[in-house]
Amino acid sequence: MRFLAGRHFLFASLASTFLIGSVAIVTPASALDLFGYSFTASGIKEIEASKPSEDVPDPTPYTANLTVSGQGDVEALRKNLEEASILLGKQENPPSGSVGLLTRARADRKRLVGALFGAAHYGGVVEIKINGHNLDEIALDADLKSSGPASISINVDTGPVFSFSQPKAVTMDGAPIALDAYDIRAGDAARSSLVLEAEEAIVKDYQSRGYPFARIEKRTLEADHKINQLDVSLMLDPGQQARFGRVTVEGAEEVDATFIAQQANIPQGELYSPDQIAKATKRLRTLGVFASVIIRPAETLDADGSVPMIIEVKERKHRTIGAGITAGNLDGVGMEGFWTTRNLFGRAESLRFEGSVSKIGQNSIDKLDYHLALLFAKPGAFGPSSVFDAKIAADINNSDAFEKRAISGEMGVSHQFSEQISGRAGVKVEYSRLKESSGISNSLLVSTPLELSYDSRDNVLDPSEGIHLLLKTEPTISNRNKAKFVKSSVSLSAYQALDDAKRFVIAGRVEAGTILGASRADIPKDRLFFAGGGNSIRGYAHQAAGPRGTDGKPSGGRSFTTASLEARVKMTDTIGLAAFVDTGGAFDGTKPGKNGQWFTGVGAGVRYLTPIGPLRADVAIPLKKIKGEPQYGVYLGLGQAF
């Protein structure tokens, strides 16, 4: 079938085909199936035995092949056509009857035309034959499988590449819009996707200027086959400029609607802005109580000229129970569990009870590490961008450096200053009993932990671009000799993808910290810095990469520094590989990197990529051996190492 003919052709009627060639359909992964269980946002379920799909009535099997010829990059276009073709992609799933096959073939022709448009080929020929007969000549009641599977040939002659002639765009009142600002220029290849992208960008630009109802009113596309050019003419209806007006909430059930509007914090009276809508949407999603959040303008303006805003929410299950497991040859097996309710009093208050045990397999039961905690968080305590949190915890730690029994309480307020910048200030009280080689000591410590973060990562669990800077300081008072000290650290992580598909990523991290204000003897040992382990210097055991006492056990340092470099590559959509080097250590002096040794570990790992982050397995070896310590480390976990 030749889909364009003559010297001039106005093909506004082919807008649907034009759109088909430029739309990608993405099906989001919503669950992880592993070891016979399905891990979803709502919980963990055992996978039922798969059931055979219902048989297709009167299946009509077929074989299909594609031939492509013409001008331009034929091989690249062949790939696009193969991806667009339903006939090729679904050969293993035969349609029902001859009518089903003919319907599939006609739909395929439209998709192939769309793929040609997407590559700026507006004079091509798409011909589909079934059993040697042209598609449009076959009757609906024809028997297409009388002599076996139907034979389908798809022949595409791409024709010439078209270029833009004199593209133009105007508003309803005739004001010109510069299309070259949207990559539509005379002489460039007239790919249909460029036109669609330009339309979307123009509408977004006008919406950002306060026009909520901006839309493309008219699109005229005219192809001149004599000179192989495409003329584009767009007309924009900007609608009326408006300010944010009243806000209504739809879909709220257990979460208070007034609270939802307050947390969205849409600035009534300010000029309409998609950026403000995006920020409000993110604030609501961050609450963790909604499965979906959509904020949209009403269809008409209010009498005062303002645009009413509608917040549509769908609540998720507010109670969750979960469990996790970690494993490694150096740290043994760790198990944790939690129970959470996310809407305690109707305003997204969360209460979480968590517990964990670690070092299973490494030590006897009385030498394992235990943790119990109760955490509470109240969003919007001091404005939409703030969260009040409180925590009570009990911990038992049995490390090579010390044995610790502690109870602690902490409360604080965090605030999101901007999309990337956040901070937290808190007060913490801890009573602990430490047993080490020098004896047993009891400590009561009062501190004020402070944090400031800048985070531009595109994904927290598996970043490919951006940086994360974290500054932490904790002024502390101890009852031991009335010691006062300040423990501070800085961490900077950076990520850079080396290709557009983000399959090759270089990740780096540098950390350093110091303790000032008190002598080493007056600082509780558990407050000193230690290095080594899966989140520090891989290849070394937890706390192993640093100073040691006369008994040969880790003694901690008053400073530390570490640096890591990791190369990550996605081999497939689900499998990734990594190679890394970690270096650094803990040091006796207050200046990071001084008065101590540097330790370096190298290794490689495998990543199984899931919707909730990569499952990570790393193997590392230490370049500087430590007597009595393992000669390699294996680390399993969820999420990248940093």
Side-chain angles (χ1 to χ4, degrees):
M1 173 187 177
R2 188 171 184 86
F3 57 88
L4 287 180
R7 288 182 291 180
H8 296 281
F9 186 85
L10 186 65
F11 53 99
S13 61
L14 289 179
S16 60
T17 304
F18 179 85
L19 291 169
I20 289 172
S22 305
V23 174
I25 300 175
V26 179
T27 303
S30 59
L32 165 64
D33 295 341
L34 190 64
F35 307 131
Y37 290 86
S38 177
F39 297 79
T40 70
S42 59
I44 303 174
K45 299 179 180 179
E46 187 172 0
I47 301 173
E48 297 181 0
S50 59
K51 300 177 181 179
S53 59
E54 294 184 5
D55 292 335
V56 175
D58 189 24
T60 303
Y62 66 89
T63 60
N65 65 82
L66 170 71
T67 60
V68 184
S69 61
Q71 303 177 30
D73 190 343
V74 175
E75 289 307 312
L77 189 52
R78 178 191 298 276
K79 183 178 179 181
N80 292 342
L81 292 168
E82 289 174 347
E83 292 176 351
S85 175
I86 306 173
L87 288 171
L88 294 175
K90 292 190 174 183
Q91 290 189 71
E92 302 301 322
N93 305 105
S96 175
S98 297
V99 173
L101 181 57
L102 293 172
T103 300
R104 179 179 291 186
R106 290 190 174 95
D108 204 52
R109 185 166 58 191
K110 290 182 179 180
R111 293 176 65 90
L112 295 173
V113 168
L116 289 174
F117 283 10
H121 291 270
Y122 298 94
V125 176
V126 175
E127 184 181 61
I128 297 178
K129 291 185 177 182
I130 302 178
N131 294 334
H133 300 284
N134 286 327
L135 176 61
D136 293 327
E137 298 174 354
I138 301 174
L140 290 177
D141 59 354
D143 185 358
L144 300 177
K145 58 176 182 177
S146 58
S147 58
S151 175
I152 301 178
S153 62
I154 308 169
N155 300 304
V156 178
D157 181 351
T158 66
V161 177
F162 279 58
S163 61
F164 291 116
S165 58
Q166 297 297 326
K168 63 180 180 179
V170 296
T171 63
M172 293 285 286
D173 58 6
I177 300 173
L179 281 178
D180 57 353
Y182 303 97
D183 295 327
I184 303 291
R185 301 180 182 88
D188 288 354
R191 294 186 287 112
S192 63
S193 58
L194 288 177
V195 180
L196 294 175
E197 290 167 5
E199 290 180 3
E200 183 179 355
I202 291 169
V203 169
K204 285 184 176 180
D205 282 350
Y206 271 79
Q207 287 177 343
S208 67
R209 300 176 200 175
Y211 294 89
F213 305 120
R215 62 189 180 89
I216 298 298
E217 176 66 22
K218 185 178 180 181
R219 176 202 301 129
T220 302
L221 306 172
E222 187 174 358
D224 188 330
H225 293 267
K226 184 176 181 180
I227 57 176
N228 299 329
Q229 288 188 344
L230 179 71
D231 194 27
V232 177
S233 179
L234 304 176
M235 180 176 290
L236 174 76
D237 180 3
Q240 184 175 335
Q241 194 176 49
R243 298 183 179 276
F244 285 118
R246 57 188 173 88
V247 176
T248 58
V249 177
E250 298 179 357
E253 296 177 0
E254 297 182 37
V255 183
D256 184 77
T258 302
F259 169 75
I260 295 173
Q262 290 173 348
Q263 282 298 113
N265 197 31
I266 297 173
Q268 297 183 40
E270 289 189 12
L271 206 59
Y272 176 88
S273 167
D275 184 55
Q276 290 288 357
I277 294 175
K279 291 178 180 178
T281 302
K282 184 177 181 179
R283 279 192 291 269
L284 293 179
R285 286 177 176 166
T286 302
L287 294 175
V289 293
F290 301 119
S292 66
V293 177
I294 298 174
I295 302 179
R296 59 179 176 83
E299 295 182 358
T300 59
L301 301 179
D302 276 344
D304 62 358
S306 64
V307 55
M309 300 302 300
I310 300 172
I311 302 175
E312 296 180 358
V313 297
K314 182 179 180 181
E315 297 181 16
R316 62 184 294 192
K317 293 181 179 180
H318 296 310
R319 294 173 182 81
T320 303
I321 186 170
I325 186 170
T326 59
N329 70 314
L330 301 182
D331 300 324
V333 176
M335 301 178 66
E336 61 179 312
F338 67 88
W339 174 88
T340 299
T341 179
R342 299 183 181 87
N343 192 42
L344 192 61
F345 304 121
R347 292 198 161 205
E349 302 91 347
S350 67
L351 185 68
R352 174 186 173 102
F353 179 74
E354 63 183 25
S356 66
V357 57
S358 56
K359 297 183 180 176
I360 300 172
Q362 297 289 92
N363 296 323
S364 59
I365 293 178
D366 61 329
K367 294 296 183 180
L368 301 180
D369 287 352
Y370 300 92
H371 166 75
L372 286 174
L374 184 66
L375 302 91
F376 172 78
K378 178 177 176 55
F382 304 99
S385 299
S386 67
V387 177
F388 169 80
D389 63 83
K391 176 181 179 181
I392 299 174
D395 293 277
I396 296 176
N397 299 111
N398 294 287
S399 69
D400 291 340
F402 55 80
E403 295 180 6
K404 178 181 178 180
R405 309 291 185 269
I407 57 173
S408 62
E410 182 177 356
M411 62 179 61
V413 176
S414 58
H415 186 81
Q416 193 76 34
F417 298 101
S418 68
E419 189 172 351
Q420 289 86 23
I421 301 175
S422 62
R424 182 183 181 276
V427 177
K428 181 178 181 180
V429 179
E430 179 184 271
Y431 179 78
S432 64
R433 179 178 181 271
L434 284 178
K435 181 181 179 181
E436 49 185 303
S437 57
S438 60
I440 298 175
S441 62
N442 298 314
S443 298
L444 178 65
L445 298 98
V446 180
S447 61
T448 56
L450 306 171
E451 296 182 7
L452 184 64
S453 171
Y454 176 87
D455 193 349
S456 63
R457 293 174 293 179
D458 56 354
N459 185 305
V460 175
L461 287 176
D462 190 14
S464 59
E465 290 181 348
I467 65 172
H468 182 213
L469 174 64
L470 179 62
L471 305 174
K472 300 172 68 174
T473 186
E474 188 173 1
T476 304
I477 300 175
S478 172
N479 70 327
R480 292 178 59 186
N481 301 324
K482 297 182 180 180
K484 301 176 182 178
F485 58 91
V486 179
K487 183 177 182 179
S488 302
S489 65
V490 58
S491 173
L492 176 63
S493 303
Y495 310 88
Q496 181 60 58
L498 303 182
D499 63 316
D500 293 338
K502 298 183 179 181
R503 290 189 171 273
F504 298 89
V505 176
I506 298 296
R509 179 179 65 181
V510 178
E511 295 182 297
T514 186
I515 302 175
L516 303 173
S519 66
R520 180 188 178 94
D522 288 334
I523 302 172
K525 197 167 187 178
D526 64 300
R527 294 300 176 102
L528 295 173
F529 289 111
F530 294 87
N535 294 319
S536 177
I537 305 173
R538 286 164 285 185
Y540 295 89
H542 178 61
Q543 299 182 336
R548 293 177 179 262
T550 55
D551 57 359
K553 295 182 178 181
S555 59
R558 293 180 65 187
S559 67
F560 88 101
T561 185
T562 62
S564 299
L565 185 65
E566 187 165 291
R568 303 167 183 169
V569 56
K570 292 181 181 179
M571 305 302 294
T572 69
D573 289 339
T574 56
I575 300 296
L577 301 177
F580 57 84
V581 56
D582 301 333
T583 188
F587 303 92
D588 283 321
T590 59
K591 185 177 293 186
K594 301 292 184 181
N595 300 329
Q597 300 182 63
W598 284 71
F599 300 85
T600 301
V602 297
V606 178
R607 309 289 186 262
Y608 180 73
L609 309 174
T610 78
I612 58 175
L615 296 175
R616 171 170 53 94
D618 287 337
V619 178
I621 58 172
L623 297 187
K624 178 179 289 186
K625 310 296 183 181
I626 300 176
K627 186 177 181 180
E629 293 287 344
Q631 301 303 298
Y632 68 94
V634 178
Y635 309 92
L636 306 177
L638 175 64
Q640 298 287 6
F642 60 89

